[in-house]
Amino acid sequence: MRPGRCWPWARGRAAALLLLLAALSSHPALGERGRKKVVHVLEDDSGAVVVQTAPGKVVTHRGGTIILPCRYHYDVSAHDPDEIRLKWTKVTEPMAFVDVFVAMGKERRAFGSYRERTALQEDGPGDASLIIRNVTLQDYGRYECEVTNELEDDAGMVKLDLEGVIFPYHPRLGRYSLNYHEAQQACLEQDGILASYDQLHQAWLEGLDWCNAGWLDDGSVQYPISRPREQCGRKDTPVGVRNYGYRHKDDERYDAFCFTSNLNGKVYFLKTYRKLSYPEAVQACKDNRAVVAKVGQLYAAWKIQLLDRCEAGWVEDGSIRYPIVNPRVRCGGREPGVRNLGFPDKKYKLFGVYCFKKAGEVAPKQVSSKGRPLWV
């Protein structure tokens, strides 16, 4: 329990539960999932402030706009609306909170990375719903809506989920080479964040099977098994997400499970007349007004944009990978996924390359010295 706070279920209030089916907004610019919710309304005859939030979760994607629903009930004869303070915080750990947005009367203030991206919906009296625009990977998680008057407060929770994809990751150093902090950084460098248990569990439900344990965002180490086998914790053990528990964040080393979401751009295989070393691949993408795609970008393109290419190519971390949506014998197996051929010598090994171009950027027409198109 957060210090100094009395949760609604602990106050012993004589509250009756009323189910209200409501569309939380009809704002035409906010056509995102998660607006229509079943809302639980607590009515209190004492005049105390009571908060309602939507059950379950709201879902969007990176770059989207979402409404975190929250409404409150109070006795207008007992409270001046200008004396009610609305506060949104993000729960970063069980007992840690980060300020997001505060409102009191006509005053409004957003904090940190939420500045210029957040506003109250204010769809009628008692609406404390928060609009978040240009959603980032870091916005994923649980949010608390707190409403306070001079004498009492109440709070409710909303979970913000993102559509996306999990990708297991280890660097060139090899498997089990990352402590927790290095795993966080590795995911960030490859266009992701450390995945949550819920995200990993959902990926397992969708068929993810990975025989190496990796860090999650809560400091635990786990791995998903759909096909038990001797080399992955014995053949006679049940399927599921196997848990090593919470490990020492500085001293112990594992892989990472990263999460990424929608791309603001496109990943593509750059056709060239010959295979390239890694430095040549970097230059080729640059000449095409693009950059070498990160691992997370390639996974997002495979999962969300259905990129299917049976050609091995460089990606940003120096590994060789290729995405397969429709499995075929000559393309590395019977399961869809992003194939990983490891980390070859960057200078002497030659492959194709996967580039990433931001939305709105147009590639120049490249020509050879003989006037023929160089890139297709």
Side-chain angles (χ1 to χ4, degrees), residues 35-319:
R35 292 194 290 109
K36 295 182 178 180
K37 290 289 177 181
V38 178
V39 179
H40 295 267
V41 183
L42 293 175
E43 298 286 356
D44 192 326
D45 295 332
S46 69
V49 174
V50 182
V51 169
Q52 63 194 54
T53 53
K57 60 188 177 183
V58 293
V59 183
T60 186
H61 54 77
R62 177 168 53 180
T65 296
I66 195 69
I67 297 172
L68 304 186
C70 179
R71 292 180 180 270
Y72 59 97
H73 164 79
Y74 67 99
D75 185 347
V76 294
S77 65
H79 301 292
D80 181 349
D82 288 340
E83 295 176 352
I84 292 180
R85 186 185 73 159
L86 312 176
K87 183 177 182 181
W88 280 92
T89 54
K90 185 180 181 185
V91 185
T92 56
E93 293 181 14
M95 295 296 293
F97 295 75
V98 172
D99 290 340
V100 174
F101 192 93
V102 173
M104 187 169 181
K106 301 295 184 181
E107 298 298 322
R108 305 286 186 271
R109 183 181 178 187
F111 298 87
S113 65
Y114 296 93
R115 290 192 182 104
E116 299 182 357
R117 296 194 299 123
T118 52
L120 291 181
Q121 180 178 239
E122 300 185 276
D123 183 18
D127 184 14
S129 302
L130 185 71
I131 302 169
I132 304 179
R133 298 182 175 86
N134 192 22
V135 171
T136 69
L137 293 176
Q138 288 73 21
D139 291 341
Y140 169 86
R142 290 186 301 138
Y143 291 79
E144 181 183 83
C145 174
E146 179 188 17
V147 181
T148 308
N149 65 13
E150 291 180 329
L151 299 176
E152 65 261 313
D153 67 358
D154 197 9
M157 286 287 183
V158 181
K159 182 179 178 183
L160 171 58
D161 201 359
L162 299 178
E163 297 170 334
V165 58
I166 290 276
F167 61 98
Y169 188 75
H170 71 84
R172 180 179 289 272
L173 292 174
R175 296 195 184 279
Y176 293 175
S177 61
L178 302 170
N179 66 24
Y180 175 81
H181 310 290
E182 291 165 344
Q184 278 186 314
Q185 185 61 33
C187 289
L188 287 174
E189 290 174 354
Q190 296 309 316
D191 193 48
I193 57 173
L194 273 180
S196 69
Y197 169 78
D198 289 345
Q199 290 168 335
L200 184 63
H201 184 262
Q202 181 60 40
W204 170 75
L205 291 175
E206 296 172 359
L208 180 62
D209 181 279
W210 198 254
C211 197
N212 291 85
W215 291 103
L216 297 181
D217 67 342
D218 63 357
S220 66
V221 173
Q222 309 193 36
Y223 65 104
I225 292 295
S226 300
R227 301 183 302 278
R229 47 212 186 268
E230 290 301 325
Q231 64 269 37
C232 296
R234 292 182 16 205
K235 191 174 183 179
D236 58 354
T237 53
V239 299
V241 178
R242 296 177 181 171
N243 191 348
Y244 283 9
Y246 296 97
R247 316 307 298 182
H248 195 288
K249 291 183 176 181
D250 295 318
D251 296 342
E252 299 193 56
R253 295 183 177 274
Y254 298 94
D255 291 352
F257 285 105
C258 305
F259 174 84
T260 193
S261 185
N262 187 59
L263 291 169
N264 182 30
K266 181 181 179 181
V267 173
Y268 58 98
F269 184 82
L270 183 63
K271 293 183 179 179
T272 61
Y273 287 115
R274 64 178 181 84
K275 301 297 184 183
L276 308 170
S277 66
Y278 182 80
E280 290 172 333
V282 171
Q283 186 60 46
C285 289
K286 183 177 179 180
D287 291 343
N288 210 236
R289 290 185 183 169
V291 294
V292 180
K294 297 177 183 292
V295 176
Q297 292 169 337
L298 185 62
Y299 268 90
W302 163 72
K303 180 74 171 182
I304 300 169
Q305 299 176 350
L306 301 181
L307 180 63
D308 183 288
R309 191 83 190 195
C310 193
E311 295 186 71
W314 293 104
V315 291
E316 193 271 346
D317 68 340
S319 62

Side-chain angles (χ1 to χ4, degrees), residues 337-353:
V338 176
R339 312 282 191 251
N340 183 0
L341 303 185
F343 295 83
D345 187 293
K346 287 185 175 182
K347 187 175 181 180
Y348 297 108
K349 297 296 182 180
L350 305 179
F351 297 91
V353 60

